[in-house]
Amino acid sequence: MQGAVLITGATSGFGAASARCLARQGWPLILCGRRLERLQALAEELSELTSVLPLQLDVRDAIAVQRAIDELPEPFSGIQVLVNNAGLALAPGPAQAVELSDLHTMIDTNITGLVNVTHAVLPKLIAWGSGATIINIGSTAAGNPYPGSHVYGASKAFVQQFSYNLRCDLQGTGVRVTDLAPGIAETEFSLVRNAGDAGAADKVYQGTVPLTADDVAEQVGYIAALPAHMNINRLEVVPVRQAWGPYAIHRDQLTESA
């Protein structure tokens, strides 16, 4: 018997691709996001494969999140898998040059929203017991700093540590927790990060071969379908063309003596 999967940020990118992957596996789906039209279109697309509940929801609103989880109808009230995908990056410039409101938006979505949804869903996952799973979408930015990552990278470091600490708290309940950390991936994410500037977003992927949303979604499907006695603590997935860079060292410009 499969319980329902709740996916946040299901309107695009990893969330929408994960919905399609999990629908092919037969999971009942609760698709959450702010853009109702997209949710309804995706629900209609997947309705031939499984039962789907589109749920307009802003993860930053703790009261609305709790109410939505409390009022889930059958057959969606038994949640077996939570995919915490809702998140974004904004303001790719230096921290000292960006708007504070953009930093707050990332914190409110990537951290507060993650906590809101997880706290609301945890009783249902614990009630499910063995085989219940939390999949938190993290990032390689959690441990690999780079210019312009500032609050985004810090928020993904939170995702990693929150995932690990949940594992400690949930020991003995049968609930599993995975931090799924993709590297560079071509989705709507970069367009949002660059405030809708398609040219700037395209430059991120120019001349390379990034991951796709489907690549990441396949990992979500794999984790969700693992035998109940197995837990992947962290799964980092990057394209072959992505590796680590050298340290950035600022040097004074030297002049040759006469």
Side-chain angles (χ1 to χ4, degrees), residues 3-238:
V5 178
L6 188 148
I7 305 173
T8 65
T11 56
S12 64
F14 299 156
S18 295
R20 293 185 176 99
C21 177
L22 293 166
R24 290 192 294 270
Q25 294 181 356
W27 295 90
L29 300 176
I30 306 164
L31 306 180
C32 302
R34 290 181 296 164
R35 293 173 287 188
L36 182 59
E37 298 82 4
R38 288 198 181 192
L39 289 175
Q40 291 173 333
L42 183 59
E44 184 177 354
E45 172 193 336
L46 301 180
S47 61
E48 295 182 359
L49 298 173
T50 188
S51 54
V52 185
L53 175 67
L55 187 61
Q56 188 175 28
L57 189 64
D58 186 339
V59 298
R60 298 173 296 181
D61 186 338
I63 294 174
V65 168
Q66 187 63 63
R67 182 186 303 117
I69 299 305
D70 290 343
E71 296 177 355
L72 286 172
E74 295 293 343
F76 302 101
S77 60
I79 299 176
Q80 183 179 352
V81 179
L82 168 61
V83 182
N84 275 316
N85 169 71
L88 78 167
L90 297 170
Q96 64 271 25
V98 304
E99 295 293 331
L100 180 61
S101 60
D102 285 339
L103 305 184
H104 283 172
T105 298
M106 286 188 282
I107 293 168
D108 292 344
T109 306
N110 300 359
I111 297 177
T112 305
L114 171 75
V115 172
N116 289 343
V117 175
T118 304
H119 188 265
V121 176
L122 269 175
K124 291 185 177 292
L125 294 168
I126 293 170
W128 189 274
S130 180
T133 309
I134 300 171
I135 303 172
N136 292 326
I137 304 299
S139 171
T140 56
N144 297 287
Y146 58 88
S149 183
H150 41 75
V151 167
Y152 174 72
S155 72
K156 291 305 182 179
F158 176 90
V159 173
Q160 181 176 344
Q161 282 300 313
F162 186 54
S163 300
Y164 289 175
N165 285 285
L166 278 174
R167 280 273 287 134
C168 296
D169 290 345
L170 293 169
Q171 177 74 356
T173 67
V175 181
R176 307 174 294 184
V177 186
T178 297
D179 171 28
L180 173 55
I184 184 173
E186 186 170 6
T187 68
E188 195 177 280
F189 172 92
S190 193
L191 188 64
V192 172
R193 186 173 207 177
N194 288 280
D197 185 339
D202 291 342
K203 285 182 181 179
V204 176
Y205 314 110
Q206 189 174 0
T208 193
V209 182
L211 299 175
T212 67
D214 288 339
D215 292 332
V216 176
E218 287 177 3
Q219 308 312 310
V220 171
Y222 167 68
I223 295 165
L226 283 171
H229 69 284
M230 292 180 61
N231 189 94
I232 296 176
N233 292 329
R234 188 168 195 264
L235 179 57
E236 184 174 296
V237 184
V238 300

